[in-house]
Amino acid sequence: MTGHVTAPAAALADQLPSWAALVRAPNPGPMTLDGTNTWVLGAPGAGEVVVVDPGPLDEGHLAAVAGRGRVAGVLVTHGHPDHTEGLDRFLELTGAEHLIFRCAWSSVELAGLRIGLLPTPGHTADSLCFVVDGAGERAVLTGDTILGRGTTVVAHPDGDLGDYLASLAKLTEFSGVPALPGHGPPLADCAAAARFYLAHRHARLDQVRTVLGRGARTAAEVVAAVYADVDRSLWPAAEWSVRAQLAYLGHSGGEGDSGQESRKSGPVAQDRESGPGAGGLENP
């Protein structure tokens, strides 16, 4: 079966908001695309910046980010190490605070910006997006929930496909708002990308149902059929997503003896706690 995605899910943004700068980490690879995007946010003339996802523990990268201005605070979209491995060292370099959103508040005002929290579990249980407004411009920092190119893995068992579909549905509300992703180039329309991702995920589910109907029983067998045209180096990551798909469909995938198809429904698990996952991205 074919249909893996390597192109952007929406048109590329012509320019960044006036308050956003991208410093890309030097960690390119099949699981990180061109490298991890560290975003430096600050309204012109604010005299301070907020940093989103410091990235890997690379002294040159962290120094380049720290050199962009006085850091008022640091945010992370999720706990995967390609986004957070350098966090402690960056806090040491800058003396900045790791900003953690609390139950009592859902936004902060720093660096001349209003930054709102949007829980978007699915890629991981702890995945967040940030809706940023300033100088009459708005953008959504999407972490690994929406990428600038290709699709993202649902990192089962920490990631959950039902949660991910619900999170994508939230992001369809941001029509015409740029998406600043955790990897790849910025996109012009967050909602368009989210709709594309939703269609892609449902098409994948249809493919999985088909191969299950043909007798596939394990996640590895499903990957071999559905991802046959994908580079085999990406099959381990694809298997995480397939296990998430099988769990969503109520199929054991070789981990038990469920065999009964039942779609997951219900609220997004916004309050579920999870430590950092151990994986990266897929490109199918």
Side-chain angles (χ1 to χ4, degrees), residues 2 36 71 120 130 157-158 174 195 255 271:
T2 61
T36 300
V71 181
T120 50
F130 299 106
D158 182 51
F174 293 91
R195 288 192 295 269
E255 294 180 347
D271 299 323

Side-chain angles (χ1 to χ4, degrees), residues 89-109:
R89 175 59 177 152
F90 187 72
L91 297 178
E92 179 183 341
L93 284 172
T94 62
E97 177 187 2
H98 177 198
L99 301 173
I100 301 174
F101 281 79
R102 306 295 184 185
C103 294
W105 46 279
S106 60
S107 66
V108 294
E109 294 191 15

Side-chain angles (χ1 to χ4, degrees), residues 56 67 78 99 129 131 149 156 159 166 200 205 214 218 228 240 256 261:
H78 65 295
L99 301 173
C129 291
V131 182
R149 189 173 72 250
H156 181 80
H200 172 72
L205 284 169
R214 293 174 180 172
T218 68
W240 295 333
E261 183 171 313

Side-chain angles (χ1 to χ4, degrees), residues 60 68 82 88 162 247 255 278:
R68 292 298 184 115
D82 57 313
D88 289 344
E255 294 180 347

